[in-house]
Amino acid sequence: MVYQLSQSATFFTRDPKRTTEVALPDLYEASVLELQDGLDKGLFTSVDLVKAYFARIEEVNLKGPALRAVLETNPNALATAALLDKNARRRGSEVLCMGFRFFLKYDNIATLPSEGMNTTAGSFSLLGSVVPDDAHLVKRLRQAGAIILGKANLSEFAHFRGQTTSGWSAIGGQCTNAYFPNANPCGSSGGSGVSASIGLAAVTLGTETDGSITCPASHNNVVGIKPTVGLTSRAGVVPISSHQDIIGPMTRSLTDAAIVLSIIAGKDANDNYTLAQPTPVPDYTKALNPHGLKGARIGVPRKVFLNDSVTGNDPAVNVAFEQALDVMRELGATIVDPADIESAEELIVSNKHTLVLMVDFKIEIAKYLKSLVHNPSGAQSLADLIKFNNEHAELEMPENYTDQSTFTNAEATKGQDDAYFQALAYNHECGSTRGIDATLKEFELDALVLPALGHTTHLAAIVGYPIITVPLGFYPENTTIGTSEPVTVYPAPGVPFGLSFLGTAFSEFDLIGYAYAYEQKTKTRLARRAYSDAIPKTQLVDVIGI
């Protein structure tokens, strides 16, 4: 299989073996495979990469545009890189994953404090807490040779504290989009999306309960894979709901996302949902077929999801979507349009999924807090978190970020009672029996496709089904700048939006094939860069030999 790599920039260094000038990858777009190739050829080292990424973060995170995408860098990253370089010289080659320089979605994916980083979900109530172990997927990444550069900002408690702006946390402040000054990055994985979008790391990770990978991937011109619940372990991740939470990659290309997913997917005895996944775990890079859409039947559920008066989408999104359908037809897909979902109208008025999330959160966050080896705040329950916020309002409730209504509403729930189990059953019926699975069967479809914005994520969320999101387009230059949540702007000229492919449980391999064919045909990501001040200037040529 030949993969399409990103474009190399005209940065040059001298080949130490041949004393000739060779091109180095542009870190704004550099792919895992390009970085791997440079490491293998000795053009640069892992230490060079860490230094370059740290310098790029320094340029734009708190200085310049102050994007606040990164909360902390790993103080052990350079030492880890030096050790990996030493081992690579001894072996004579690198393992594939050496091209990775990860960010974790700050701060809800656990890393041992011995590495010098926190796990806080963005809240001072967890600052200094000691987790019992690395998250399961962190262990998998370390075993694969990954270097964790640091942790990215997120919406505090994965946007489950209250109605605060996407991308804000008390510890990290307000993250903003790199494609327009002060634009909303979406969330909750906003810092991961922004970091991936401008090359602050090779790849990033996000978590999603309902939209938290899909939406920031869409807003930041990157690829996001929201896997089936049960494909990647949640052990060691600050929870909202075991029925919906999942971890997935956010990258600049589907090739990179497929490589990452192949590593982090798999069973874990500490997350029983993963024990139901099919075996073996596929090599998702084998799905990267530029002809992947040929012969596929792709459905368009227009009712509700493409109604701007319901979704609130700008008309420019649907214009780009119709053009995307034409591209898919050109690539050999049969577009079944419309392929409406029976339960769509119920979805937007029902609050049953909210009940499930709130009940789960109250129970599961208490379990997480009690699992900590130490927590300076002493919080052991959701009630304790609410009390901490009230008592430390100067930290947790600054102006424009005072709301914690989701916390208080969740605290008022009565546990797993009849209403809870009825809501669970309704979610399955709405999302599967009369939702995604019913529609796929009725119209003999392989997948569904929609703009990533609007209500697209909800049906997949309530039944834990996968979504693959790739860049679709950008708001036109004449777009009226809107206000968003009240301190950021959205929409705005040049801000990206994405295209989402949805399917049934564990259909990631097929969805990757469809999305890859579209990505390779359109190359939408390469059509526009971030605004000038938000683009870091440091490249590998600036750090090699320093």
Side-chain angles (χ1 to χ4, degrees):
M1 178 68 70
V2 177
Y3 307 126
Q4 176 68 41
L5 304 182
S6 62
Q7 297 177 342
S8 292
T10 53
F11 302 104
F12 296 93
T13 189
R14 289 211 169 261
D15 186 326
K17 298 177 182 177
R18 295 185 290 274
T19 65
T20 57
E21 288 190 338
V22 293
L24 295 172
D26 177 1
L27 294 181
Y28 187 96
E29 287 295 342
S31 71
V32 166
L33 295 178
E34 284 179 308
L35 296 177
Q36 178 61 42
D37 183 61
L39 289 166
D40 288 346
K41 291 177 178 176
L43 302 182
F44 48 84
T45 66
S46 298
V47 168
D48 292 330
L49 273 173
V50 172
K51 287 180 178 179
Y53 282 131
F54 278 0
R56 291 171 70 82
I57 293 165
E58 179 74 13
E59 287 183 65
V60 299
N61 194 53
L62 298 180
K63 299 177 181 178
L67 299 176
R68 295 187 177 273
V70 181
L71 286 184
E72 60 180 340
T73 54
N74 182 353
N76 285 324
L78 281 168
T80 302
L83 180 61
L84 288 172
D85 286 337
K86 180 179 178 180
N87 291 339
R89 287 193 296 271
R90 185 180 300 128
R91 291 194 310 269
S93 64
E94 303 274 353
V95 296
L96 176 61
C97 293
M98 280 291 296
F100 295 155
R101 301 296 179 260
F102 275 94
F103 271 103
L104 299 184
K105 178 188 170 186
Y106 189 73
D107 210 358
N108 64 349
I109 301 176
T111 52
L112 284 170
S114 58
E115 192 164 34
M117 294 185 292
N118 287 285
T119 304
T120 70
S123 170
F124 284 100
S125 67
L126 291 176
L127 185 63
S129 63
V130 178
V131 298
D133 203 354
D134 278 335
H136 178 78
L137 63 86
V138 171
K139 294 178 184 179
R140 295 180 73 94
L141 293 169
R142 292 194 200 279
Q143 290 167 1
I147 296 172
I148 300 171
L149 273 178
K151 295 192 176 183
N153 201 358
L154 80 165
S155 308
E156 185 167 323
F157 279 102
H159 215 178
F160 209 72
R161 195 190 85 171
Q163 298 304 308
T164 55
T165 305
S166 289
W168 176 85
S169 68
I171 292 177
Q174 180 63 59
C175 176
T176 58
N177 196 304
Y179 280 81
F180 190 89
N182 208 40
N184 192 290
C186 205
S188 59
S189 304
S192 297
V194 173
S195 296
S197 75
I198 55 173
L200 302 187
V203 297
T204 69
L205 295 176
T207 68
E208 177 156 330
T209 305
D210 186 349
S212 291
I213 292 172
T214 304
C215 187
S218 173
H219 275 45
N220 293 287
N221 198 27
V222 297
V223 171
I225 296 182
K226 180 260 185 188
T228 305
V229 171
L231 186 63
T232 59
S233 171
R234 290 83 52 86
V237 178
V238 180
I240 293 178
S241 168
S242 57
H243 290 97
Q244 294 186 203
D245 294 347
I246 196 64
I247 303 93
M250 301 177 70
T251 65
R252 290 179 290 278
S253 72
L254 204 43
T255 298
D256 286 354
I259 293 170
V260 177
L261 186 62
S262 297
I263 293 167
I264 65 174
K267 296 185 178 183
D268 173 20
N270 292 315
D271 183 349
N272 65 335
Y273 280 69
T274 66
L275 304 182
Q277 68 180 248
T279 54
V281 173
D283 176 355
Y284 291 105
T285 66
K286 295 187 183 303
L288 300 171
N289 181 0
H291 307 292
L293 277 165
K294 187 175 182 179
R297 289 178 58 83
I298 308 297
V300 181
R302 287 195 175 270
K303 185 172 65 175
V304 172
F305 300 103
L306 288 168
N307 184 337
D308 291 346
S309 66
V310 176
T311 65
N313 286 346
D314 187 282
V317 175
N318 281 352
V319 170
F321 178 71
E322 297 301 330
Q323 294 169 348
L325 295 181
D326 287 338
V327 170
M328 285 181 261
R329 292 184 183 100
E330 180 184 343
L331 291 170
T334 298
I335 303 300
V336 181
D337 183 6
D340 288 331
I341 295 173
E342 177 187 339
S343 60
E345 291 175 331
E346 296 175 43
L347 172 72
I348 62 172
V349 297
S350 171
N351 65 352
K352 294 184 185 298
H353 68 285
T354 303
L355 173 63
V356 170
L357 296 182
M358 289 187 174
V359 171
D360 284 350
F361 181 69
K362 182 178 179 180
I363 294 169
E364 294 177 26
I365 194 62
K367 182 179 179 181
Y368 175 86
L369 292 169
K370 291 173 183 176
S371 76
L372 296 173
V373 176
H374 176 65
N375 185 8
S377 76
Q380 295 277 293
S381 66
L382 177 55
D384 290 342
L385 296 178
I386 294 170
K387 181 180 178 183
F388 179 92
N389 292 343
N390 289 331
E391 292 178 350
H392 300 85
E394 74 283 2
L395 296 175
E396 285 289 333
M397 295 180 170
E399 185 179 2
N400 294 318
Y401 303 101
T402 59
D403 190 66
Q404 59 173 339
S405 59
T406 307
F407 268 16
T408 56
N409 289 337
E411 175 61 21
T413 59
K414 304 301 182 183
Q416 295 178 343
D417 56 14
D418 287 346
Y420 170 83
F421 288 109
Q422 289 169 6
L424 268 180
Y426 177 83
N427 284 352
H428 181 76
E429 177 189 346
C430 188
S432 172
T433 309
R434 294 189 296 113
I436 292 173
D437 288 318
T439 306
L440 295 176
K441 181 178 180 180
E442 178 183 357
F443 295 99
E444 299 180 330
L445 301 174
D446 297 302
L448 303 173
V449 68
L450 284 167
L453 304 175
H455 297 288
T456 294
T457 63
H458 298 338
L459 273 178
I462 61 178
V463 286
Y465 284 1
I467 305 174
I468 312 284
T469 301
V470 295
L472 170 61
F474 307 86
Y475 285 102
E477 293 301 324
N478 63 355
T479 298
T480 300
I481 300 171
T483 57
S484 173
E485 299 181 310
V487 297
T488 58
V489 300
Y490 187 86
V495 171
F497 48 83
L499 179 73
S500 290
F501 293 83
L502 302 83
T504 191
F506 302 109
S507 61
E508 285 85 354
F509 192 93
D510 292 336
L511 295 179
I512 287 171
Y514 308 143
Y516 181 77
Y518 177 83
E519 175 201 49
Q520 292 302 298
K521 178 65 175 178
T522 60
K523 301 188 187 301
T524 302
R525 169 165 170 83
L526 302 178
R528 188 177 186 118
R529 285 197 166 201
Y531 66 91
S532 179
D533 287 348
I535 299 175
K537 306 302 186 290
T538 301
Q539 295 288 344
L540 278 163
V541 70
D542 301 312
V543 301
I544 290 174
I546 296 177

